[in-house]
Amino acid sequence: MHAIYELAGGFLVWAALVIFAGGTVIRMAWLAATARKKDAAVFHYFSFYYALRSILHWIVPFASRNMRLHPVMTAVTFIFHLCLIITPIFAAAHVILIAESWGGGWWYLPDAAADIMTLTVILGCVFFLIRRISKKDVRYLSTAGDYILLVIVAAPFLSGYWSYHQWSGFEIAGIVHMLSGELLLICIPFTRLFHMILFPFTRGYAGSEFGGMRSARDW
Amino acid sequence: MKKQNNLNNTQNPGQIHDIGIKRGAGRLSREKIASVLEKLIETEGGARLSAYINTCVHCGLCSDACHHYLSRGCDPRFSPAGKVKQTVSTILAKKGKVSPEFIKRTCEIAFTECNLCRRCQLYCPFGIDISYLMLFIRRACHLLGVVPQYIQDTAHSHSATMNQMWVRDDEWIDTLQWQEEEARDEIPDLRIPIDKQGADIFYSVIGPEPKFRPQLIYQMAVIMHAAGADWTLPSAPGWDNSDMCMYTGDVEMTARLKKVHFEAAIGLKNKRIVMGECGHAFRSVYDVGNRLLGWKMPPLPTVHAISFYSELLEEGRIEIDHKFERPVTFHDPCNIVRGRGLHETARYIINRVCKTFIELEPNREHNFCCGAGGGVINCGPPFKTKRVESNKVKADQLAAAREKGAEVVIAPCHNCHGGLEEIIEHYELGMELMFLSDILYECIKKK
Ligand code: HEM
Ligand code: HEM
Ligand code: SF4
Ligand code: SF4
């Protein structure tokens, strides 16, 4: 068990970070090269001003008509995504771990806040799961991968919480946490989680065509 | 509403008999399909395709954007992403190894269950362009030779005659002279100038105008005359700005058609192109054709009739004699509103000319498609019931405006007229459809 702990807390952290960063760079490079070859027009129509205008309307809550039409979904998804990104970066455990192993470190969240945000992410995943099953159109679109992804996203939050609160079996939860955290990082460049990276590009391109070419709003 | 009981018939895949789809698919084998699709994916399936397909998080937020989905009791097969799932995603997952039966269904979805109206792009958080994906499928269908018969016939007409309606060159000139003669009964010194070198305005129309609605050419001549415009139409091919090949996936023909159209104007040394009241034609010239020909923007200034009318009103080149009495509402056509942002321009004209204007809800960029666009109406009578059933939301939207008093629906687009006409008839709405030029013709001071 100690050996797995060492591996998950040492080598695999590095491996996951390298695969996450390398995978992201390679995939973006492939997309850029393919676009040059087959969709060269994309570069000509891309406009930073209109891309930004569109992105802003889609990252500010309720700034687009569709967000106003689905207020519950909008609220949940914004809170979910905020907690999802902020918690791991500012969790005390992570910051201290990094400070101890590599030096440095930064401000971290008070425990209570981290706990609430962690639970929020887990509840968010449950909300998305229920929505996926109960809404006919979303269920129709869903593939096995979509359900698995929700589990992959929820896993490090659930196990991190478990481990942090030292509930029974927390040693195992700790190992599960590190492994599932690493799995999540590795999954980002190779699954739909890549939407995190592609969002500004797809949205920005839509905004560029709508704003620059068609003089219309796309929100 | 009547004919509701038919819903299940047309909703069930493969129920509609279309000889173009049936015969085309009959000539295919699995091997042939795989080889064509593999090659297509390799040569044309680029970064956009990959990014769109892989970014989609299957969240279904685009569903409520689509009139097909909303009109069919929220049947998930008609949601934008649902259509992608049944077509592009499956083809990519199977690397093109699909059956002729699958291609038949795919063809029906891409050609008759999506109007390429791009409304869903305003509802997807990622801005995924479903119309791009459906056009990719239409391109595949074109290469496989599986295209609904009626629209394929118009594409054939385009390649044989450079116009959409098998209009012969002499018929075109005859029509112009006939309309000139008619108009001269009303305004004796009116001219419809043909092939005028160096004229300010090259005016182009869609093939169905000389064929079915020559009075629109008459009306435009009256407006041009009242404005004292220096305008012309070409005698040779290039007068037709429409383009069904853009919708059948025949991009090579689209490029040829747009080249002939641009060159007709350039050849006459005209300063700019003014296009009649049509949406899809505008998309083909302003957005699609220029790209295919390698120009970022059209090679000479190109405007839709709406922009032109508003310019005439703003500059005082035409004057309003009396306001249009009956209350009107306005249908924002996809291709010039989401496609060109002309919604406020159109409202400026309407407010100048009409007494009472009642908005449809939703409106502007968020208006629902007429159900005819994207070549869907050009797939013809076999799909008529399906079309009107697929756009019940449009009927509801119009009925709501009628409740508020609207009697006339203005739609500055030929396709929209086709679609709205069917809907008004089927749902017994009893509203009258008009072009902006109908209203202007009625209300301006004729000189
Ligand atoms: C890459 C390797 C990772 C390592 C080595 C790691 C390590 C840790 C450790 C040691 C803790 C404290 C648990 C305890 O006290 O026993 C923790 C907590 C936590 N981690 Fe991670 N983690 C990793 C990745 C991730 C990822 C990818 C996420 C989420 C995206 C994540 C989210 C959390 C959360 C939410 C907590 C709990 C915070 C709380 O409830 O206060 N971790 N992590
Ligand atoms: C900062 C970049 C990101 C942006 C802009 C973004 C945006 C979106 C959007 C627009 C959706 C569509 C549905 C919705 O609104 O909920 C979505 C869904 C989702 N996102 Fe993100 N996201 C980002 C990062 C992430 C990350 C880092 C993860 C996980 C590690 C993630 C996990 C998810 C999940 C699981 C869903 C699916 C919800 C469902 O099943 O319906 N996102 N995201
Ligand atoms: S018809 Fe319009 S809203 Fe529906 S899928 Fe096609 S482009 Fe999207
Ligand atoms: S809204 Fe966009 S991401 Fe969501 S299912 Fe529709 S196309 Fe996919």
Side-chain angles (χ1 to χ4, degrees):
Chain A
M1 189 138 126
H2 193 69
I4 303 180
Y5 189 89
E6 288 279 283
L7 185 69
F11 173 73
L12 288 182
V13 178
W14 284 107
L17 285 173
V18 168
I19 294 173
F20 163 65
T24 301
V25 169
I26 289 171
R27 191 154 167 203
M28 286 313 289
W30 179 84
L31 278 172
T34 314
R36 280 247 172 264
K37 215 165 81 194
K38 298 186 200 168
D39 307 286
V42 166
F43 295 98
H44 295 281
Y45 289 112
F46 202 88
S47 139
F48 280 99
Y49 172 76
Y50 289 113
L52 208 62
R53 184 178 81 159
S54 177
I55 291 168
L56 278 178
H57 278 95
W58 285 93
I59 56 169
V60 173
F62 301 101
S64 70
R65 181 172 194 261
N66 205 18
M67 289 192 219
R68 294 191 291 274
L69 291 179
H70 301 98
V72 176
M73 176 66 173
T74 304
V76 172
T77 197
F78 269 96
I79 296 170
F80 167 83
H81 277 93
L82 278 177
C83 295
L84 178 78
I85 293 163
I86 292 172
T87 321
I89 299 177
F90 296 105
H94 287 184
V95 177
I96 293 166
L97 210 64
I98 289 171
E100 281 175 0
S101 14
W102 307 327
W106 48 83
W107 176 86
Y108 52 81
L109 287 162
D111 280 1
D115 276 3
I116 292 170
M117 289 167 79
T118 303
L119 289 175
T120 306
V121 172
I122 296 165
L123 288 178
C125 286
V126 173
F127 171 86
F128 288 132
L129 180 70
I130 293 172
R131 184 175 177 273
R132 209 165 262 297
I133 295 168
S134 63
K135 277 203 84 212
K136 225 167 54 168
D137 55 324
V138 189
R139 186 170 67 231
Y140 179 74
L141 294 175
S142 301
T143 57
D146 297 325
Y147 294 104
I148 296 172
L149 271 191
L150 279 178
V151 174
I152 291 179
V153 171
F157 288 87
L158 203 62
S159 55
Y161 191 82
W162 193 298
S163 159
Y164 196 68
H165 289 267
Q166 310 257 321
W167 294 344
S168 69
F170 69 87
E171 297 95 335
I172 296 189
I175 293 176
V176 169
H177 174 70
M178 291 189 283
L179 290 175
S180 60
E182 285 145 8
L183 179 66
L184 174 58
L185 283 175
I186 292 170
C187 281
I188 291 178
F190 305 106
T191 63
R192 297 189 185 288
L193 293 179
F194 205 54
H195 72 264
M196 164 186 167
I197 307 292
L198 283 179
F199 169 79
F201 295 92
T202 53
R203 187 76 255 167
Y205 185 66
S208 301
E209 277 201 351
F210 270 88
M213 171 112 191
R214 306 187 182 127
S215 321
R217 291 163 298 186
D218 64 329
W219 55 83
Chain B
M1 300 283 162
K2 63 177 184 174
K3 293 187 189 161
Q4 280 278 311
N5 51 342
N6 278 349
L7 213 85
N8 286 330
N9 264 341
T10 49
Q11 223 159 343
N12 280 336
Q15 295 274 321
I16 296 170
H17 183 79
D18 182 286
I19 207 160
I21 299 181
K22 200 167 169 225
R23 288 228 183 109
R27 286 190 290 262
L28 294 173
S29 65
R30 279 181 159 270
E31 293 68 37
K32 194 166 165 188
I33 296 171
S35 81
V36 170
L37 294 183
E38 266 169 35
K39 191 163 161 238
L40 173 70
I41 294 165
E42 182 173 333
T43 51
E44 294 175 31
R48 279 182 83 183
L49 181 72
S50 164
Y52 288 152
I53 294 294
N54 295 314
T55 305
C56 172
V57 291
H58 302 161
C59 64
L61 285 170
C62 51
S63 304
D64 294 343
C66 184
H67 52 285
H68 293 269
Y69 172 81
L70 295 173
S71 299
R72 292 192 172 272
C74 299
D75 182 333
R77 287 177 302 182
F78 290 87
S79 79
K83 288 174 260 199
V84 173
K85 177 189 168 101
Q86 295 171 77
T87 58
V88 202
S89 300
T90 310
I91 287 175
L92 291 177
K94 296 192 171 170
K95 302 206 162 50
K97 293 186 181 56
V98 294
S99 65
E101 271 311 304
F102 177 89
I103 292 296
K104 270 163 80 173
R105 175 70 190 129
T106 290
C107 174
E108 191 181 332
I109 294 172
F111 278 90
T112 72
E113 295 175 13
C114 174
N115 295 90
L116 314 176
C117 75
R118 296 204 188 102
R119 189 172 194 263
C120 47
Q121 217 179 341
L122 274 58
Y123 289 75
C124 167
F126 298 98
I128 291 175
D129 189 350
I130 304 288
S131 79
Y132 171 89
L133 297 172
M134 288 299 124
L135 274 169
F136 186 77
I137 290 298
R138 292 195 189 186
R139 173 80 176 144
C141 290
H142 165 73
L143 294 173
L144 288 165
V146 185
V147 175
Q149 185 193 29
Y150 274 82
I151 191 168
Q152 185 58 52
D153 180 71
T154 62
H156 286 327
S157 169
H158 275 306
S159 28
T161 65
M162 290 287 146
N163 72 67
Q164 195 196 127
M165 289 277 126
W166 302 102
V167 177
R168 293 199 321 257
D169 290 354
D170 58 334
E171 284 175 338
W172 162 243
I173 299 166
D174 270 1
T175 308
L176 295 180
Q177 292 182 338
W178 164 45
Q179 289 309 309
E180 183 181 72
E181 229 174 275
E182 297 268 309
R184 282 169 82 103
D185 284 345
E186 190 184 355
I187 302 167
D189 61 340
L190 179 142
R191 293 290 323 269
I192 295 186
I194 300 178
D195 286 340
K196 185 172 173 195
Q197 291 273 334
D200 289 342
I201 294 164
F202 174 92
Y203 182 59
S204 61
V205 299
I206 66 167
E209 278 201 23
K211 196 89 178 175
F212 304 121
R213 298 187 203 263
Q215 83 278 10
L216 289 176
I217 298 174
Y218 175 129
Q219 289 175 178
M220 194 54 154
V222 170
I223 296 170
M224 291 281 188
H225 184 79
D230 178 21
W231 70 300
T232 191
L233 296 114
S235 61
W239 57 265
D240 179 3
N241 54 28
S242 76
D243 193 341
M244 277 305 132
C245 298
M246 163 174 82
Y247 288 149
T248 61
D250 190 349
V251 295
E252 290 83 359
M253 260 317 294
T254 293
R256 278 183 64 203
L257 289 166
K258 297 307 108 177
K259 187 157 182 275
V260 168
H261 176 248
F262 285 135
E263 283 180 355
I266 294 167
L268 288 173
K269 302 190 175 58
N270 298 139
K271 298 194 179 61
R272 63 168 172 162
I273 299 175
V274 173
M275 299 176 60
E277 288 179 55
C278 184
H280 98 273
F282 191 78
R283 176 179 184 155
S284 78
V285 173
Y286 182 81
D287 195 339
V288 178
N290 49 321
R291 291 185 200 217
L292 291 172
L293 292 167
W295 285 305
K296 184 171 174 184
M297 287 297 182
L300 70 168
T302 303
V303 298
H304 187 268
I306 292 185
S307 314
F308 180 62
Y309 301 146
S310 102
E311 192 185 300
L312 296 183
L313 283 168
E314 231 164 296
E315 292 171 3
R317 291 173 63 191
I318 50 176
E319 285 165 54
I320 305 303
D321 178 64
H322 57 277
K323 284 210 162 187
F324 189 77
E325 289 289 332
R326 282 180 292 161
V328 301
T329 186
F330 180 68
H331 165 84
D332 291 276
C334 314
N335 286 324
I336 53 174
V337 171
R338 277 189 288 280
R340 190 63 183 101
L342 295 181
H343 40 281
E344 299 306 342
T345 316
R347 280 167 180 74
Y348 167 76
I349 301 169
I350 294 168
N351 286 322
R352 284 283 304 265
V353 190
C354 302
K355 220 171 195 165
T356 317
F357 173 44
I358 294 156
E359 287 279 9
L360 289 179
E361 292 297 333
N363 53 49
R364 297 180 168 83
E365 284 100 334
H366 292 279
N367 184 32
F368 286 114
C369 168
C370 63
V376 171
I377 198 167
N378 305 74
C379 295
F383 299 95
K384 175 167 177 194
T385 308
K386 181 171 183 169
R387 276 196 300 275
V388 289
E389 285 171 355
S390 268
N391 213 354
K392 190 178 168 305
V393 285
K394 188 87 234 172
D396 296 344
Q397 194 194 15
L398 292 176
R402 191 192 51 188
E403 292 312 304
K404 292 187 211 157
E407 291 172 16
V408 171
V409 185
I410 302 176
C413 168
H414 279 271
N415 261 290
C416 296
H417 269 244
L420 297 179
E421 208 167 271
E422 288 182 344
I423 288 164
I424 290 171
E425 186 216 297
H426 180 89
Y427 294 97
E428 296 169 357
L429 296 173
M431 297 169 93
E432 193 185 339
L433 259 177
M434 292 179 110
F435 286 95
L436 277 172
S437 80
D438 293 326
I439 306 238
L440 285 172
Y441 171 75
E442 214 179 296
C443 299
I444 58 169
K445 274 202 187 104
K446 294 181 190 128
K447 289 177 197 149

